[in-house]
Amino acid sequence: VKVTIVALKNSSFELLDYLNNKKIKLGDTIQIISIEPFDKSCSILLEETVRMTMTQQVCSCLLVVK
């Protein structure tokens, strides 16, 4: 599933710092590759080039649209 990040549920310094370090910003497109059943972490593809894993806690803070 491809989605675009449009807002954040939480704008804490820690979350903003995490996203900045991962080079994730509003307007970026991510493709959800898989969700781990055990801990709900997500394997994603950022802007069709960078593959990474994000925790369920981070993913739940991202507001996205298809």
Side-chain angles (χ1 to χ4, degrees):
V1 175
K2 283 188 182 181
V3 296
T4 301
I5 303 169
V6 295
L8 303 174
K9 287 183 185 177
N10 171 352
S11 60
S12 69
F13 173 78
E14 292 83 5
L15 176 62
L16 295 174
D17 190 49
Y18 174 85
L19 296 174
N20 188 50
N21 286 335
K22 299 289 186 184
K23 307 222 182 316
I24 299 171
K25 61 190 179 309
L26 296 181
D28 281 352
T29 300
I30 60 174
Q31 180 176 352
I32 301 167
I33 298 168
S34 64
I35 300 173
E36 290 297 323
F38 174 70
D39 64 359
K40 306 293 187 244
S41 62
C42 297
S43 178
I44 67 161
L45 189 60
L46 177 65
E47 293 295 324
E48 299 186 13
T49 58
V50 180
R51 187 177 182 136
M52 67 178 72
T53 300
M54 292 196 308
T55 65
Q56 187 273 336
Q57 182 179 2
V58 172
C59 292
S60 68
C61 291
L62 304 178
L63 298 174
V64 298
V65 295
K66 283 188 180 182

mmCIF file of all heavy atoms in Angstrom, residues 15-40:
data_model
loop_
_atom_site.group_PDB
_atom_site.id
_atom_site.type_symbol
_atom_site.label_atom_id
_atom_site.label_comp_id
_atom_site.label_asym_id
_atom_site.label_seq_id
_atom_site.Cartn_x
_atom_site.Cartn_y
_atom_site.Cartn_z
ATOM 1 N N LEU A 15 9.814 12.793 18.598
ATOM 2 C CA LEU A 15 9.316 12.281 17.316
ATOM 3 C C LEU A 15 9.882 13.083 16.155
ATOM 4 O O LEU A 15 10.348 12.506 15.159
ATOM 5 C CB LEU A 15 7.783 12.303 17.266
ATOM 6 C CG LEU A 15 7.173 11.869 15.932
ATOM 7 C CD1 LEU A 15 7.533 10.421 15.597
ATOM 8 C CD2 LEU A 15 5.673 12.061 15.935
ATOM 9 N N LEU A 16 9.870 14.401 16.266
ATOM 10 C CA LEU A 16 10.401 15.240 15.186
ATOM 11 C C LEU A 16 11.885 14.968 14.953
ATOM 12 O O LEU A 16 12.338 14.904 13.813
ATOM 13 C CB LEU A 16 10.166 16.711 15.493
ATOM 14 C CG LEU A 16 8.706 17.148 15.540
ATOM 15 C CD1 LEU A 16 8.598 18.592 16.002
ATOM 16 C CD2 LEU A 16 8.020 16.949 14.205
ATOM 17 N N ASP A 17 12.630 14.780 16.026
ATOM 18 C CA ASP A 17 14.054 14.468 15.915
ATOM 19 C C ASP A 17 14.257 13.112 15.242
ATOM 20 O O ASP A 17 15.117 12.963 14.370
ATOM 21 C CB ASP A 17 14.693 14.487 17.309
ATOM 22 C CG ASP A 17 16.196 14.412 17.255
ATOM 23 O OD1 ASP A 17 16.807 15.185 16.483
ATOM 24 O OD2 ASP A 17 16.782 13.585 17.995
ATOM 25 N N TYR A 18 13.451 12.121 15.633
ATOM 26 C CA TYR A 18 13.534 10.789 15.018
ATOM 27 C C TYR A 18 13.274 10.869 13.512
ATOM 28 O O TYR A 18 14.035 10.338 12.707
ATOM 29 C CB TYR A 18 12.532 9.851 15.687
ATOM 30 C CG TYR A 18 12.435 8.503 15.027
ATOM 31 C CD1 TYR A 18 13.311 7.477 15.348
ATOM 32 C CD2 TYR A 18 11.469 8.246 14.039
ATOM 33 C CE1 TYR A 18 13.230 6.242 14.737
ATOM 34 C CE2 TYR A 18 11.386 7.009 13.421
ATOM 35 C CZ TYR A 18 12.265 6.022 13.769
ATOM 36 O OH TYR A 18 12.182 4.802 13.135
ATOM 37 N N LEU A 19 12.179 11.532 13.138
ATOM 38 C CA LEU A 19 11.825 11.643 11.720
ATOM 39 C C LEU A 19 12.886 12.416 10.955
ATOM 40 O O LEU A 19 13.231 12.053 9.819
ATOM 41 C CB LEU A 19 10.455 12.301 11.558
ATOM 42 C CG LEU A 19 9.273 11.520 12.131
ATOM 43 C CD1 LEU A 19 7.989 12.343 12.028
ATOM 44 C CD2 LEU A 19 9.115 10.172 11.446
ATOM 45 N N ASN A 20 13.417 13.468 11.552
ATOM 46 C CA ASN A 20 14.458 14.250 10.901
ATOM 47 C C ASN A 20 15.713 13.406 10.668
ATOM 48 O O ASN A 20 16.316 13.444 9.586
ATOM 49 C CB ASN A 20 14.790 15.482 11.739
ATOM 50 C CG ASN A 20 15.714 16.431 11.018
ATOM 51 O OD1 ASN A 20 15.465 16.793 9.874
ATOM 52 N ND2 ASN A 20 16.777 16.835 11.685
ATOM 53 N N ASN A 21 16.096 12.619 11.664
ATOM 54 C CA ASN A 21 17.275 11.750 11.524
ATOM 55 C C ASN A 21 17.084 10.693 10.440
ATOM 56 O O ASN A 21 18.051 10.286 9.795
ATOM 57 C CB ASN A 21 17.614 11.082 12.854
ATOM 58 C CG ASN A 21 18.230 12.042 13.835
ATOM 59 O OD1 ASN A 21 18.822 13.053 13.453
ATOM 60 N ND2 ASN A 21 18.084 11.751 15.112
ATOM 61 N N LYS A 22 15.844 10.244 10.255
ATOM 62 C CA LYS A 22 15.542 9.249 9.217
ATOM 63 C C LYS A 22 15.240 9.905 7.868
ATOM 64 O O LYS A 22 14.950 9.218 6.892
ATOM 65 C CB LYS A 22 14.335 8.393 9.631
ATOM 66 C CG LYS A 22 14.539 7.603 10.896
ATOM 67 C CD LYS A 22 15.505 6.474 10.675
ATOM 68 C CE LYS A 22 15.591 5.599 11.912
ATOM 69 N NZ LYS A 22 16.582 4.555 11.773
ATOM 70 N N LYS A 23 15.263 11.255 7.842
ATOM 71 C CA LYS A 23 14.981 12.035 6.627
ATOM 72 C C LYS A 23 13.556 11.805 6.126
ATOM 73 O O LYS A 23 13.301 11.705 4.933
ATOM 74 C CB LYS A 23 16.011 11.747 5.537
ATOM 75 C CG LYS A 23 17.449 11.919 6.001
ATOM 76 C CD LYS A 23 18.301 12.604 4.997
ATOM 77 C CE LYS A 23 19.751 12.765 5.391
ATOM 78 N NZ LYS A 23 20.087 13.184 6.681
ATOM 79 N N ILE A 24 12.620 11.703 7.074
ATOM 80 C CA ILE A 24 11.204 11.535 6.766
ATOM 81 C C ILE A 24 10.513 12.867 7.034
ATOM 82 O O ILE A 24 10.695 13.467 8.094
ATOM 83 C CB ILE A 24 10.573 10.438 7.644
ATOM 84 C CG1 ILE A 24 11.270 9.093 7.381
ATOM 85 C CG2 ILE A 24 9.073 10.341 7.401
ATOM 86 C CD1 ILE A 24 10.879 7.998 8.354
ATOM 87 N N LYS A 25 9.719 13.344 6.051
ATOM 88 C CA LYS A 25 9.048 14.632 6.209
ATOM 89 C C LYS A 25 7.637 14.582 5.639
ATOM 90 O O LYS A 25 7.282 13.649 4.913
ATOM 91 C CB LYS A 25 9.856 15.738 5.548
ATOM 92 C CG LYS A 25 10.058 15.551 4.061
ATOM 93 C CD LYS A 25 11.065 16.529 3.519
ATOM 94 C CE LYS A 25 11.301 16.361 2.032
ATOM 95 N NZ LYS A 25 11.589 15.051 1.555
ATOM 96 N N LEU A 26 6.851 15.594 5.989
ATOM 97 C CA LEU A 26 5.499 15.686 5.437
ATOM 98 C C LEU A 26 5.568 15.728 3.921
ATOM 99 O O LEU A 26 6.466 16.346 3.350
ATOM 100 C CB LEU A 26 4.796 16.942 5.963
ATOM 101 C CG LEU A 26 4.531 17.003 7.460
ATOM 102 C CD1 LEU A 26 3.811 18.296 7.804
ATOM 103 C CD2 LEU A 26 3.731 15.818 7.938
ATOM 104 N N GLY A 27 4.641 15.051 3.271
ATOM 105 C CA GLY A 27 4.619 15.002 1.812
ATOM 106 C C GLY A 27 5.350 13.807 1.234
ATOM 107 O O GLY A 27 5.202 13.504 0.047
ATOM 108 N N ASP A 28 6.153 13.128 2.052
ATOM 109 C CA ASP A 28 6.869 11.942 1.564
ATOM 110 C C ASP A 28 5.882 10.806 1.295
ATOM 111 O O ASP A 28 4.874 10.668 1.971
ATOM 112 C CB ASP A 28 7.891 11.451 2.586
ATOM 113 C CG ASP A 28 9.166 12.274 2.587
ATOM 114 O OD1 ASP A 28 9.330 13.138 1.693
ATOM 115 O OD2 ASP A 28 10.002 12.056 3.483
ATOM 116 N N THR A 29 6.222 10.007 0.300
ATOM 117 C CA THR A 29 5.437 8.818 -0.021
ATOM 118 C C THR A 29 6.133 7.604 0.563
ATOM 119 O O THR A 29 7.347 7.449 0.409
ATOM 120 C CB THR A 29 5.302 8.659 -1.547
ATOM 121 O OG1 THR A 29 4.652 9.811 -2.074
ATOM 122 C CG2 THR A 29 4.508 7.421 -1.902
ATOM 123 N N ILE A 30 5.355 6.775 1.251
ATOM 124 C CA ILE A 30 5.907 5.527 1.768
ATOM 125 C C ILE A 30 5.053 4.370 1.277
ATOM 126 O O ILE A 30 3.850 4.512 1.067
ATOM 127 C CB ILE A 30 6.003 5.511 3.312
ATOM 128 C CG1 ILE A 30 4.635 5.690 3.961
ATOM 129 C CG2 ILE A 30 6.980 6.545 3.813
ATOM 130 C CD1 ILE A 30 4.658 5.533 5.469
ATOM 131 N N GLN A 31 5.723 3.263 1.043
ATOM 132 C CA GLN A 31 5.027 2.033 0.681
ATOM 133 C C GLN A 31 5.186 1.074 1.849
ATOM 134 O O GLN A 31 6.305 0.799 2.291
ATOM 135 C CB GLN A 31 5.614 1.426 -0.582
ATOM 136 C CG GLN A 31 4.914 0.146 -0.985
ATOM 137 C CD GLN A 31 5.427 -0.412 -2.309
ATOM 138 O OE1 GLN A 31 6.204 0.220 -2.998
ATOM 139 N NE2 GLN A 31 4.991 -1.596 -2.640
ATOM 140 N N ILE A 32 4.063 0.596 2.365
ATOM 141 C CA ILE A 32 4.103 -0.376 3.460
ATOM 142 C C ILE A 32 4.333 -1.747 2.837
ATOM 143 O O ILE A 32 3.505 -2.246 2.080
ATOM 144 C CB ILE A 32 2.806 -0.338 4.277
ATOM 145 C CG1 ILE A 32 2.605 1.070 4.845
ATOM 146 C CG2 ILE A 32 2.845 -1.394 5.379
ATOM 147 C CD1 ILE A 32 1.232 1.325 5.392
ATOM 148 N N ILE A 33 5.464 -2.337 3.147
ATOM 149 C CA ILE A 33 5.834 -3.629 2.577
ATOM 150 C C ILE A 33 5.272 -4.767 3.420
ATOM 151 O O ILE A 33 4.714 -5.716 2.901
ATOM 152 C CB ILE A 33 7.362 -3.743 2.444
ATOM 153 C CG1 ILE A 33 7.872 -2.653 1.489
ATOM 154 C CG2 ILE A 33 7.773 -5.126 1.970
ATOM 155 C CD1 ILE A 33 9.365 -2.481 1.499
ATOM 156 N N SER A 34 5.429 -4.643 4.749
ATOM 157 C CA SER A 34 4.902 -5.681 5.634
ATOM 158 C C SER A 34 4.740 -5.130 7.039
ATOM 159 O O SER A 34 5.370 -4.137 7.404
ATOM 160 C CB SER A 34 5.824 -6.901 5.660
ATOM 161 O OG SER A 34 7.082 -6.565 6.215
ATOM 162 N N ILE A 35 3.886 -5.804 7.807
ATOM 163 C CA ILE A 35 3.685 -5.484 9.215
ATOM 164 C C ILE A 35 3.919 -6.763 10.002
ATOM 165 O O ILE A 35 3.304 -7.794 9.723
ATOM 166 C CB ILE A 35 2.263 -4.947 9.474
ATOM 167 C CG1 ILE A 35 2.028 -3.670 8.658
ATOM 168 C CG2 ILE A 35 2.043 -4.697 10.968
ATOM 169 C CD1 ILE A 35 0.603 -3.152 8.719
ATOM 170 N N GLU A 36 4.852 -6.691 10.954
ATOM 171 C CA GLU A 36 5.180 -7.863 11.763
ATOM 172 C C GLU A 36 4.044 -8.159 12.740
ATOM 173 O O GLU A 36 3.647 -7.280 13.502
ATOM 174 C CB GLU A 36 6.476 -7.629 12.537
ATOM 175 C CG GLU A 36 7.709 -7.589 11.671
ATOM 176 C CD GLU A 36 7.957 -8.889 10.959
ATOM 177 O OE1 GLU A 36 7.711 -9.975 11.534
ATOM 178 O OE2 GLU A 36 8.408 -8.836 9.806
ATOM 179 N N PRO A 37 3.527 -9.380 12.726
ATOM 180 C CA PRO A 37 2.429 -9.735 13.631
ATOM 181 C C PRO A 37 2.787 -9.610 15.113
ATOM 182 O O PRO A 37 1.963 -9.205 15.920
ATOM 183 C CB PRO A 37 2.121 -11.191 13.287
ATOM 184 C CG PRO A 37 2.695 -11.406 11.933
ATOM 185 C CD PRO A 37 3.863 -10.479 11.824
ATOM 186 N N PHE A 38 4.018 -9.903 15.465
ATOM 187 C CA PHE A 38 4.412 -9.931 16.879
ATOM 188 C C PHE A 38 4.384 -8.554 17.525
ATOM 189 O O PHE A 38 3.762 -8.342 18.552
ATOM 190 C CB PHE A 38 5.805 -10.554 17.032
ATOM 191 C CG PHE A 38 6.332 -10.496 18.443
ATOM 192 C CD1 PHE A 38 5.771 -11.275 19.432
ATOM 193 C CD2 PHE A 38 7.370 -9.650 18.769
ATOM 194 C CE1 PHE A 38 6.241 -11.210 20.736
ATOM 195 C CE2 PHE A 38 7.845 -9.578 20.068
ATOM 196 C CZ PHE A 38 7.276 -10.366 21.051
ATOM 197 N N ASP A 39 5.083 -7.576 16.911
ATOM 198 C CA ASP A 39 5.202 -6.260 17.547
ATOM 199 C C ASP A 39 4.604 -5.120 16.727
ATOM 200 O O ASP A 39 4.706 -3.963 17.101
ATOM 201 C CB ASP A 39 6.661 -5.952 17.872
ATOM 202 C CG ASP A 39 7.540 -5.849 16.629
ATOM 203 O OD1 ASP A 39 7.031 -6.029 15.507
ATOM 204 O OD2 ASP A 39 8.748 -5.595 16.795
ATOM 205 N N LYS A 40 3.997 -5.468 15.593
ATOM 206 C CA LYS A 40 3.330 -4.490 14.721
ATOM 207 C C LYS A 40 4.291 -3.485 14.093
ATOM 208 O O LYS A 40 3.883 -2.434 13.635
ATOM 209 C CB LYS A 40 2.225 -3.741 15.465
ATOM 210 C CG LYS A 40 1.190 -4.625 16.135
ATOM 211 C CD LYS A 40 0.369 -5.375 15.129
ATOM 212 C CE LYS A 40 -0.770 -6.110 15.813
ATOM 213 N NZ LYS A 40 -0.689 -7.527 15.718
#
